[in-house]
Amino acid sequence: FSSNSHISKVKVVAAYLLAVLGGKSSPSAADVKKILTSGGVEVDDQQVDKLIAELSGKNVEEIIASGKGKLS
């Protein structure tokens, strides 16, 4: 995968997490896209839609907690 693709994916995840911090327990694709565009970031609809689908019905705090062990 290319470096630009990786950076773009990180921006999508960061926007999702910002939406969660802003009070949306389950942000929509529109929420994520709004954050990205307000920051001047070009939106990759496929990446946003994929992330929303993968996180649908999941608790972000639980996902982060389960991933912390993998960082050790």
Side-chain angles (χ1 to χ4, degrees), residues 12-13 16 32 46-56:
V12 171
V13 171
Y16 185 92
V32 173
Q46 288 180 331
Q47 285 183 351
V48 172
D49 294 341
K50 181 178 179 187
L51 179 71
I52 297 298
E54 289 177 357
L55 295 179
S56 179

Side-chain angles (χ1 to χ4, degrees), residues 8 10 14 18-19 22 24 31 33 38 44 47 49-51 55 58 62-64:
S8 179
V10 170
L18 283 170
K24 304 253 184 194
D31 296 327
K33 291 174 187 178
S38 70
D44 181 332
Q47 285 183 351
D49 294 341
K50 181 178 179 187
L51 179 71
L55 295 179
K58 296 180 182 174
E62 291 174 5
I63 294 169
I64 292 171

Side-chain angles (χ1 to χ4, degrees), residues 4-72:
N4 287 340
S5 174
H6 179 70
I7 291 169
S8 179
K9 289 177 186 177
V10 170
K11 289 178 181 179
V12 171
V13 171
Y16 185 92
L17 293 174
L18 283 170
V20 171
L21 287 172
K24 304 253 184 194
S25 61
S26 185
S28 67
D31 296 327
V32 173
K33 291 174 187 178
K34 182 176 181 181
I35 291 169
L36 291 169
T37 57
S38 70
V41 176
E42 186 175 326
V43 176
D44 181 332
D45 290 333
Q46 288 180 331
Q47 285 183 351
V48 172
D49 294 341
K50 181 178 179 187
L51 179 71
I52 297 298
E54 289 177 357
L55 295 179
S56 179
K58 296 180 182 174
N59 181 297
V60 172
E61 290 84 8
E62 291 174 5
I63 294 169
I64 292 171
S66 69
K68 280 186 178 181
K70 297 176 183 178
L71 296 173
S72 302

